[in-house]
Amino acid sequence: MAKPLPQNTNILVEHIRSDNSYCMPSMEVATDHYSLSYIISGDRKCITYLYSFTYHGDCVTLMAPYIYHQTLSTSSSPYEKIMIKFSPKFVEPFIKEFGIQLFNELYSQNVYHYSKDVLTKIRQMFVDIYEEYIKSEAHSEFILQGMLFRILKTVWQERLQAANIKYNANPLTAPILNVLTFIENNYSSNPSVNDAAKVAGFSTAYFSRLFKKQLGKSYSEYLDDIKLHYACILLIQTNQSIMEIALKTGYCHGNYLAVKMKQKLGMSPLEYRRKGKTNST
């Protein structure tokens, strides 16, 4: 699952910087929010179970909830964006004013392009909403709501074109999607490949081949990526010990989690926690 909104909040605005090699380790899905991003730099490809699309600096990307997706780099350029996440409840007044049809049409596309002048205006809107968000003052959500609605209206009215969508030759099938949901709900108990095969309704051997064909990695590799993803969320969002987080995410010991993080991310859990909390302040 994609990183959720913090508890008791309806909007999150982040300025995210990653190196050119950053790649989402697995398919993710948001269940509690929409996302809207201004891409400052970087060339990326996003893969969903039905289609894929590319995007780059100076465009706006959108993602609705309940769409499994994964992104990867397609160039040596660093990846930088300002991303807004907001709950369905937060956008209800906008939908009431402009209509659900317009909102759904807006989110039916994932990438929009703009003229140079409009891009300058949109970029400043994203910078402004980020600066307002980090103030964290009284009545901030009310102010941020108005700023978000202005961005949504501009993104829709000033668009030039949407990105071309390329449909997958091998879209993820329903049994595999069921397994992805099963993994999300049970990763902490380390479900075996046999358990997953039963969910899919296939023999273990056939399921293993099908899973790797559709996801590009083995079942065990994918499960490990999901466990690590949730461990990283807990490292940033809580003050739980490394051992507590390891046990909650299916690792037998804090030392084993540390080994996995060093292998996959090049840093220890404590280093990751320090870096993540510094970037969020």
Side-chain angles (χ1 to χ4, degrees), residues 61-204:
T61 65
L62 305 88
M63 186 64 69
Y66 300 103
I67 298 178
Y68 273 96
H69 64 283
Q70 183 177 21
T71 68
L72 59 143
S73 176
T74 59
S75 77
S76 59
S77 300
Y79 184 38
E80 184 176 2
K81 65 180 179 180
I82 296 176
M83 181 171 65
I84 307 167
K85 295 180 179 179
F86 56 91
S87 69
K89 179 181 177 181
F90 197 67
V91 80
E92 284 177 358
F94 179 88
I95 293 174
K96 184 177 180 180
E97 178 67 24
F98 293 96
I100 188 64
Q101 182 177 350
L102 183 148
F103 186 75
N104 287 341
E105 286 184 22
L106 173 64
Y107 268 86
S108 68
Q109 299 293 331
N110 297 108
V111 183
Y112 291 104
H113 302 281
Y114 300 89
S115 67
K116 185 176 181 180
D117 290 342
V118 172
L119 276 173
T120 300
K121 179 171 65 174
I122 288 178
R123 177 169 182 165
Q124 190 60 52
M125 288 181 183
F126 275 84
V127 170
D128 290 344
I129 197 171
Y130 174 71
E131 291 178 347
E132 181 64 35
Y133 179 82
I134 61 177
K135 289 179 184 177
S136 191
E137 297 177 342
H139 311 299
S140 281
E141 279 208 354
F142 178 77
I143 297 170
L144 292 168
Q145 193 174 48
M147 297 176 80
L148 172 63
F149 292 176
R150 182 170 176 245
I151 292 173
L152 289 171
K153 181 181 177 182
T154 303
V155 165
W156 175 252
Q157 292 182 337
E158 302 285 352
R159 70 196 185 286
L160 289 179
Q161 63 186 54
N164 292 326
I165 291 178
K166 181 180 180 181
Y167 283 86
N168 299 337
N170 295 305
L172 300 184
T173 56
I176 296 300
L177 286 173
N178 289 338
V179 169
L180 297 185
T181 301
F182 171 73
I183 293 172
E184 292 285 345
N185 293 330
N186 298 279
Y187 65 90
S188 61
S189 62
N190 281 313
S192 69
V193 65
N194 294 332
D195 295 331
K198 289 178 182 177
V199 171
F202 300 131
S203 70
T204 300

